[in-house]
Amino acid sequence: MFNQYDVLETIEMIEKEHLDIRTITMGLSLLSCVRADAERTANAVYDLVCKKAERLVKTAEELSREYGIPIVNKRVSVTPVSLITAAFPQKSALIGKELDRAAKELGIDFLGGYSALVHKGTAAYEAEFLKTIPEVLSTTERLCSSVNVGSSRSGINMDAVKTMGEIVKETAALTKDCGGIGCAKLVVFCNAVEDNPFMAGAFHGVGEGDTVVNVGVSGPGVVQHALKAVPSADLTDAAETIKRTAFKITRAGQLIAKEAAKRLSARFGIVDLSLAPTPARGDSVAHILEELGLEVVGCHGTTAALAMLNDAVKKGGVMASSRVGGLSGAFIPVSEDIGMIESAEAGKITIDKLEAMTCVCSVGLDMIAIPGDTPATTISAIIADEAAIGMINNKTTAVRVIPVPDKKVGDEVSFGGLLGRAPIMPVHTGDAGKFICRGGLIPAPIHSFKN
């Protein structure tokens, strides 16, 4: 049971250490909206989202006032749209635009689920759906898209990987005037999870109920502050400090999640206790790692420090809630973390090091700006590398890179808000085109046969 003391315990973390509820995300099933044609389906989708999420923003604002905990984003995730438009995939954009219209009308920050699951093969309707992604992301404001191209049980669909490299390039070109921002709303996954409340990768899994509330908590500043209090502790005690802090953060998240679900007449799904940074100083995962003793994030020892942090966060969180889910760990998006930005600007962290760090963190290569002339096959190769890490290690990995049109290494791009700014980072110039163009399926690892 939660009481007033549980709330008061978080006051200092909120006021001084950037603790917030990063997002309340309502997951909605669209399966009941399927009609005989795209127009009627689009109307049904719009009506359902507006009806079910009508009170989402108001409820979040009421909870924030009542409990004194900032709730930064109010979001919706929906059933992967490729499943809803399977009978008329060429008209998928119509549903995407109606979803964006609903999000705008309701004041929702982002709506995720313009998604496809093609990890074992790409059906004809999915291939048509994928072609619509660049247009939809360039003509909508709040809609987010994700594609799952691999899993530990199925392997990696390299035909889809090749396609996604091309789609990333096309999306960047269509949003050239805004620094390729369409790519900031597009994620390519391996082992995508069905209850992720964080954008741009959120979608409502087919195994979920009709209406679910998932909450994402974030507290990099809280963890850094806790470590400042134990500057001489060995790593065992530092891990224990992180665990205790994650416990407190998660309790605050569960309190909000359960109350939000009750008021919205929805099922309480999960609390995702990921440490999701922002560009604000004092809210950086990179600075947590430096607090542990690294001179700068990206130096040798960074991967080990991140592994300890991620594990301690998870251990502390599962003690506080029986419904921890989503991704739950530490995110390392470059443009959204002031410590990562500064390290990248100084040349202290590279894409190669970030890739190594993704072996032990929550997601993958995230919000990385690369030269605009990067070939599509190189982007596909980056996706393939990251998917392989996820497949072999049985974890979720993802790629969200932005080939910024007309920008080169040494330049910078600014997206504003939570998306932040990023220096253009170099990529390897060696050609992986022949490898990518082979296509086919990279077979699943042997552990996929466990039942």
Side-chain angles (χ1 to χ4, degrees), residues 350-359 365 382 385-386 389:
T350 64
I351 291 180
D352 287 343
K353 185 60 177 178
L354 286 164
E355 182 181 301
M357 293 165 68
T358 65
C359 297
L365 296 171
I382 293 170
D385 283 344
E386 198 59 33
I389 289 171

Side-chain angles (χ1 to χ4, degrees), residues 254 267-272 318 320-326:
Q254 174 145 321
R267 175 177 165 270
F268 166 36
I270 56 92
V271 177
D272 186 318
V318 297
S321 173
S322 59
R323 294 199 178 180
V324 170

